Amino acid sequence: MACNKEIPQLAEIAANPLPKVEELIDWLASFGADPDGGVTRLLYSSDWAAGQSAMAVLMEQAGLTVYYDDVGNLFGRLQGSEQTGSTILTGSHIDTVKCGGKYDGAYGIIASLLALARLRQMYGIPKHSLEVVSICEEEGSRFPLSFWGSGNITGRYLPDAVPDVQDSAGTSLAAAMTAAGFGQGAYRPSLRQDIAAYIELHIEQGGTLEREQKTIGLVKGIVGQKRFTVELQGEANHAGTTPMAWRQDALCAAAEMIVWLEAEAKKRGEPLVATVGNITAKPNTSNVIPGNVTFTVDTRHADQQQLDEFCQQFLQQFQRIAEQRAIRIAWQEWLNDPPVAMHSALVEQIEQICRQRQIDYRPIYSGAGHDAQIFQKVCPTAMIFVPSHKGISHSPMEYTPPEALTAGIEVLTDLLYSLAYEGEPG
Amino acid sequence: MACNKEIPQLAEIAANPLPKVEELIDWLASFGADPDGGVTRLLYSSDWAAGQSAMAVLMEQAGLTVYYDDVGNLFGRLQGSEQTGSTILTGSHIDTVKCGGKYDGAYGIIASLLALARLRQMYGIPKHSLEVVSICEEEGSRFPLSFWGSGNITGRYLPDAVPDVQDSAGTSLAAAMTAAGFGQGAYRPSLRQDIAAYIELHIEQGGTLEREQKTIGLVKGIVGQKRFTVELQGEANHAGTTPMAWRQDALCAAAEMIVWLEAEAKKRGEPLVATVGNITAKPNTSNVIPGNVTFTVDTRHADQQQLDEFCQQFLQQFQRIAEQRAIRIAWQEWLNDPPVAMHSALVEQIEQICRQRQIDYRPIYSGAGHDAQIFQKVCPTAMIFVPSHKGISHSPMEYTPPEALTAGIEVLTDLLYSLAYEGEPG
């Protein structure tokens, strides 16, 4: 695809923004186009800075008041007529994983900008202030921390306590932030008290909407997740001289656990998922019975109680399998993120919009983390999903068809109109 | 254990050899005693050379005619009175794995020497020549080839075609052999036409005899083995956003195959064994569904047809599992060693000896490879097993109780007497 870095003509776009979505997404993807394919815009990198600068110009063209905060979040503000001091915020993250897709994050920012541009052109000044945000970081792909952008806006992170983390080259977060011109008080403080609602439009990153031929995913919540490492200790022994009946084969035990876990997760059904992503056997030699196996379990559910119950159940079952096989078992829970429900009144409003517009939708839980889960702690929050082709994301193969991109913007625009021009937020 | 490198007094030993077995095994283990524990005598190393030299002195003390062949096999000959030109050969291998045990190989050599010493002292010159052999290499632990000693005696390897293999330090087999003084025609040719029978006494390396409280294993044969690598290709995907019903999880498929393989091998029973020793999942990350899994299958049986049938069956079952899960499967058979039956008349003779001596024995198949399988191709061959404590071998923990060591030598001595002083071999 040709990389066209000229700033698109926003006046023209705002007049009829929808056919321009793909063009703008391609244009934004040209900032950080990776020679290995896809887009790489890591926090505070030059490609990242170029992406934010380009978005700033686009926001200005759309008639918004543009500003950065002190960690590099970029805002475009449409001041409301009523001096309530509250702001309806919409957007997504500008950063990507390495060789990521064009849509993850970027679509939400472009869509929000187009929605604001259209609302301003069609309806003028809103009652309540509207802002589009291009969040500096969500992915955790440069530094071992995530939600740096939304975390600073909501108070999860504080400006005086920058986490002491380094990227793979040994550069600290603080040093990278300084080098990019942020973190020194040159911009507005990040922490906000005026956010009345946060709305995020995002690709699904799963294949459910496409399989069910739905255009919009009505996000009910973001699943909670727990991750474990399980270690099995049997007895390494000669593959030829040890009869089947006298083995303490740690890999056979692990296999029985994995088969059980999958069957039980299928039985319990959506939105539960359970994944053994990592497995290591020792000594891992073809003619030696594995004496030691370590594997991970990643399990997610929208309901905390059901997640807890499932974890308790599979750990009991693992213990039973281990006992029957005279295998020692130990496990460690090393991640425990609770589920986050989206704001029910907002979810209802989105549902009404879909019905009015006769857009096929389905309720859905997000199996991946999003900035919305950070905002939900401080304000009413909602997410809208559009389909991901084959469920692929974090890949140059990421794709969402144009009609779905358009539908997402229409739903977002309607919701923002309702909140900022009609409603009484917060 | 104290390391006493003085040569034991053979005259005394020969008079009443049996209580000295353990002492001699400890003494031989002092050549190559590894600082990390156990014994390391790799082919053509200085420790290996010292071990062979020590055995040569012991053979001479026993009144045997001592000679090397050109690849470093060491022989002690007791010339027979009848000029049939045929030789009854008995012994085992002097080389060890890294940090191996004291008994694997070494016991067979010491036992054969003690048997010959005793026979000579008690009965004088045999009808048919008897030889003890300290075979230079069997384990394949320095170079990626095994049975180098027996292979040269039997014509499996030929002196003019030394395999082009290297050890981990990059030294070629030919260079290592030259450095040790062999391979240059200085000694007798290795290839033999005069071997009328080969008898090998060895530790079981499995736990069957100990569990069943048997002193002697009557080796009916050495199992055949086939090894495979199986590769499964599913689809790597997001562990959070991919519902259970829409996964192509290569690790779940592998787990189902491993569980099935184990159950079927148990159902078919001894002497069938099947082992998945090596497994690798990709990308092997806790929050990504494994898209690719590779694992090995090592399966062994004493009967070729049953081994073939089992392999056909499990490969069909693997294919079925893969198809049901929309996983692509490919496999490669990379090892196919047929089973080797021991010489039935010799096996019967050993059984008679056990009965006469009222020694508890049981028929057994060797699940591991031995020099006996190489000799069996050229002459009547038999093996006698003694128990391995807990089935442990290739480990400093290797242990066989003294009464079993003694019993093994008694059975061997009786058999050699029968073959060399009474019988009409081959």
Short mmCIF file of all heavy atoms in Angstrom, two decimals, chain B residues 22 73 85 92 109 116 120 169 173 177-178 189-190 204-205 226 228-229 231 240 261 263 288 293 298 345 386 410:
data_model
loop_
_atom_site.label_atom_id
_atom_site.label_comp_id
_atom_site.label_asym_id
_atom_site.label_seq_id
_atom_site.Cartn_x
_atom_site.Cartn_y
_atom_site.Cartn_z
N GLU B 22 32.29 -57.20 44.22
CA GLU B 22 32.04 -55.78 44.51
C GLU B 22 33.34 -54.99 44.59
O GLU B 22 33.42 -53.87 44.12
CB GLU B 22 31.31 -55.65 45.85
CG GLU B 22 29.84 -55.97 45.72
CD GLU B 22 29.12 -55.50 46.97
OE1 GLU B 22 29.36 -56.08 48.04
OE2 GLU B 22 28.35 -54.53 46.86
N ASN B 73 39.26 -53.13 21.26
CA ASN B 73 38.63 -54.17 22.07
C ASN B 73 39.76 -54.97 22.73
O ASN B 73 40.79 -55.24 22.10
CB ASN B 73 37.80 -55.13 21.19
CG ASN B 73 36.57 -54.46 20.60
OD1 ASN B 73 35.80 -53.81 21.30
ND2 ASN B 73 36.39 -54.61 19.28
N GLY B 85 39.09 -74.26 16.27
CA GLY B 85 39.16 -72.88 15.79
C GLY B 85 37.99 -72.03 16.26
O GLY B 85 37.89 -70.86 15.90
N SER B 92 31.47 -57.70 28.11
CA SER B 92 30.56 -56.57 27.95
C SER B 92 31.42 -55.35 27.60
O SER B 92 32.58 -55.51 27.24
CB SER B 92 29.72 -56.36 29.22
OG SER B 92 28.64 -55.49 28.98
N ILE B 109 32.09 -57.50 32.33
CA ILE B 109 33.51 -57.79 32.07
C ILE B 109 34.15 -58.48 33.29
O ILE B 109 34.79 -59.52 33.17
CB ILE B 109 34.29 -56.48 31.75
CG1 ILE B 109 33.68 -55.80 30.51
CG2 ILE B 109 35.76 -56.79 31.53
CD1 ILE B 109 34.21 -54.39 30.28
N LEU B 116 36.06 -67.08 34.02
CA LEU B 116 37.16 -67.77 33.33
C LEU B 116 38.26 -68.16 34.30
O LEU B 116 38.81 -69.28 34.22
CB LEU B 116 37.73 -66.89 32.20
CG LEU B 116 37.24 -67.27 30.80
CD1 LEU B 116 35.74 -67.01 30.68
CD2 LEU B 116 38.02 -66.53 29.73
N ARG B 120 39.31 -72.01 34.89
CA ARG B 120 40.69 -72.43 34.61
C ARG B 120 41.28 -73.10 35.84
O ARG B 120 41.93 -74.15 35.75
CB ARG B 120 41.53 -71.21 34.22
CG ARG B 120 43.00 -71.53 33.97
CD ARG B 120 43.74 -70.33 33.41
NE ARG B 120 45.17 -70.56 33.41
CZ ARG B 120 45.97 -70.34 34.46
NH1 ARG B 120 45.46 -69.87 35.58
NH2 ARG B 120 47.26 -70.60 34.39
N ALA B 169 33.66 -31.86 20.93
CA ALA B 169 34.79 -30.94 20.83
C ALA B 169 35.28 -30.84 19.39
O ALA B 169 36.25 -30.12 19.12
CB ALA B 169 35.92 -31.41 21.73
N LEU B 173 36.25 -39.37 15.02
CA LEU B 173 36.43 -40.72 15.54
C LEU B 173 37.80 -41.26 15.12
O LEU B 173 38.55 -41.83 15.94
CB LEU B 173 35.31 -41.63 15.01
CG LEU B 173 35.42 -43.12 15.29
CD1 LEU B 173 35.50 -43.41 16.78
CD2 LEU B 173 34.23 -43.86 14.68
N MET B 177 40.83 -42.26 17.66
CA MET B 177 41.31 -43.64 17.63
C MET B 177 42.83 -43.65 17.43
O MET B 177 43.57 -44.37 18.13
CB MET B 177 40.59 -44.39 16.50
CG MET B 177 40.93 -45.85 16.41
SD MET B 177 39.66 -46.80 15.50
CE MET B 177 39.66 -45.98 13.92
N THR B 178 43.30 -42.83 16.51
CA THR B 178 44.75 -42.73 16.25
C THR B 178 45.49 -42.25 17.50
O THR B 178 46.51 -42.80 17.90
CB THR B 178 45.01 -41.76 15.08
OG1 THR B 178 44.31 -42.24 13.94
CG2 THR B 178 46.50 -41.66 14.78
N PRO B 189 43.52 -57.71 13.57
CA PRO B 189 42.29 -57.21 12.94
C PRO B 189 41.09 -57.47 13.84
O PRO B 189 41.05 -58.47 14.57
CB PRO B 189 42.19 -58.03 11.65
CG PRO B 189 43.57 -58.57 11.41
CD PRO B 189 44.20 -58.73 12.76
N SER B 190 40.13 -56.61 13.77
CA SER B 190 38.95 -56.73 14.64
C SER B 190 37.98 -57.81 14.16
O SER B 190 37.37 -58.52 14.97
CB SER B 190 38.20 -55.39 14.70
OG SER B 190 39.05 -54.40 15.24
N GLU B 204 19.94 -55.25 34.60
CA GLU B 204 18.68 -55.12 33.86
C GLU B 204 18.44 -53.71 33.32
O GLU B 204 17.91 -53.52 32.25
CB GLU B 204 17.50 -55.52 34.77
CG GLU B 204 16.14 -55.42 34.07
CD GLU B 204 14.97 -55.48 35.05
OE1 GLU B 204 15.18 -55.83 36.22
OE2 GLU B 204 13.85 -55.15 34.63
N GLN B 205 18.78 -52.68 34.14
CA GLN B 205 18.48 -51.28 33.82
C GLN B 205 16.98 -50.99 33.85
O GLN B 205 16.54 -49.95 33.35
CB GLN B 205 19.06 -50.87 32.45
CG GLN B 205 20.57 -51.05 32.37
CD GLN B 205 21.13 -50.59 31.04
OE1 GLN B 205 21.28 -51.38 30.13
NE2 GLN B 205 21.44 -49.31 30.94
N LYS B 226 10.95 -48.27 17.32
CA LYS B 226 10.72 -47.29 16.27
C LYS B 226 10.58 -45.94 16.95
O LYS B 226 9.98 -45.84 18.02
CB LYS B 226 9.42 -47.61 15.52
CG LYS B 226 9.50 -48.86 14.66
CD LYS B 226 8.26 -48.94 13.78
CE LYS B 226 8.38 -50.12 12.82
NZ LYS B 226 7.45 -49.98 11.69
N PHE B 228 9.55 -41.81 16.20
CA PHE B 228 8.86 -40.89 15.29
C PHE B 228 8.96 -39.46 15.84
O PHE B 228 9.02 -39.27 17.05
CB PHE B 228 7.37 -41.22 15.19
CG PHE B 228 7.06 -42.60 14.68
CD1 PHE B 228 7.11 -43.70 15.53
CD2 PHE B 228 6.73 -42.78 13.34
CE1 PHE B 228 6.82 -44.97 15.06
CE2 PHE B 228 6.43 -44.05 12.86
CZ PHE B 228 6.48 -45.15 13.72
N THR B 229 8.91 -38.53 14.91
CA THR B 229 8.62 -37.15 15.31
C THR B 229 7.29 -36.77 14.68
O THR B 229 7.08 -37.01 13.48
CB THR B 229 9.73 -36.19 14.85
OG1 THR B 229 10.93 -36.53 15.54
CG2 THR B 229 9.38 -34.75 15.17
N GLU B 231 4.49 -33.74 14.03
CA GLU B 231 4.32 -32.28 14.04
C GLU B 231 2.86 -31.94 13.80
O GLU B 231 2.23 -32.45 12.88
CB GLU B 231 5.18 -31.61 12.97
CG GLU B 231 5.08 -30.08 13.09
CD GLU B 231 5.98 -29.32 12.14
OE1 GLU B 231 6.70 -29.95 11.37
OE2 GLU B 231 5.93 -28.07 12.18
N GLY B 240 -7.32 -14.84 25.02
CA GLY B 240 -8.46 -14.18 25.64
C GLY B 240 -9.65 -14.03 24.70
O GLY B 240 -10.79 -14.13 25.12
N LEU B 261 -2.22 -42.59 23.60
CA LEU B 261 -1.05 -43.46 23.40
C LEU B 261 -0.72 -44.22 24.68
O LEU B 261 -0.47 -45.43 24.65
CB LEU B 261 0.15 -42.59 23.00
CG LEU B 261 1.41 -43.34 22.54
CD1 LEU B 261 1.24 -43.82 21.10
CD2 LEU B 261 2.63 -42.44 22.65
N ALA B 263 -2.73 -44.88 27.25
CA ALA B 263 -3.79 -45.82 27.60
C ALA B 263 -3.72 -47.07 26.73
O ALA B 263 -3.85 -48.20 27.22
CB ALA B 263 -5.16 -45.14 27.46
N VAL B 288 -0.97 -17.07 24.55
CA VAL B 288 -1.20 -17.36 23.13
C VAL B 288 -1.50 -18.86 22.98
O VAL B 288 -0.78 -19.69 23.54
CB VAL B 288 0.02 -16.98 22.26
CG1 VAL B 288 -0.26 -17.30 20.79
CG2 VAL B 288 0.36 -15.51 22.42
N VAL B 293 2.95 -27.72 17.56
CA VAL B 293 3.56 -28.60 18.57
C VAL B 293 4.28 -29.74 17.86
O VAL B 293 3.76 -30.31 16.89
CB VAL B 293 2.51 -29.16 19.54
CG1 VAL B 293 3.10 -30.28 20.41
CG2 VAL B 293 1.97 -28.05 20.45
N ASP B 298 8.65 -42.79 21.09
CA ASP B 298 9.61 -43.90 21.13
C ASP B 298 8.79 -45.11 21.55
O ASP B 298 8.19 -45.11 22.63
CB ASP B 298 10.69 -43.56 22.17
CG ASP B 298 11.62 -44.72 22.50
OD1 ASP B 298 11.15 -45.87 22.64
OD2 ASP B 298 12.82 -44.47 22.65
N ALA B 345 18.26 -72.23 22.20
CA ALA B 345 18.91 -73.34 22.91
C ALA B 345 19.73 -72.81 24.10
O ALA B 345 19.74 -73.41 25.18
CB ALA B 345 19.81 -74.12 21.95
N VAL B 386 20.84 -59.29 35.81
CA VAL B 386 20.68 -59.24 37.27
C VAL B 386 19.92 -57.96 37.59
O VAL B 386 19.90 -57.03 36.78
CB VAL B 386 22.05 -59.28 38.00
CG1 VAL B 386 22.71 -60.64 37.83
CG2 VAL B 386 22.95 -58.16 37.53
N GLU B 410 27.65 -67.14 38.90
CA GLU B 410 27.48 -68.61 39.01
C GLU B 410 26.77 -69.17 37.78
O GLU B 410 27.19 -70.18 37.20
CB GLU B 410 26.69 -68.96 40.28
CG GLU B 410 27.59 -68.90 41.51
CD GLU B 410 26.84 -69.01 42.82
OE1 GLU B 410 25.59 -68.93 42.81
OE2 GLU B 410 27.50 -69.17 43.86
#
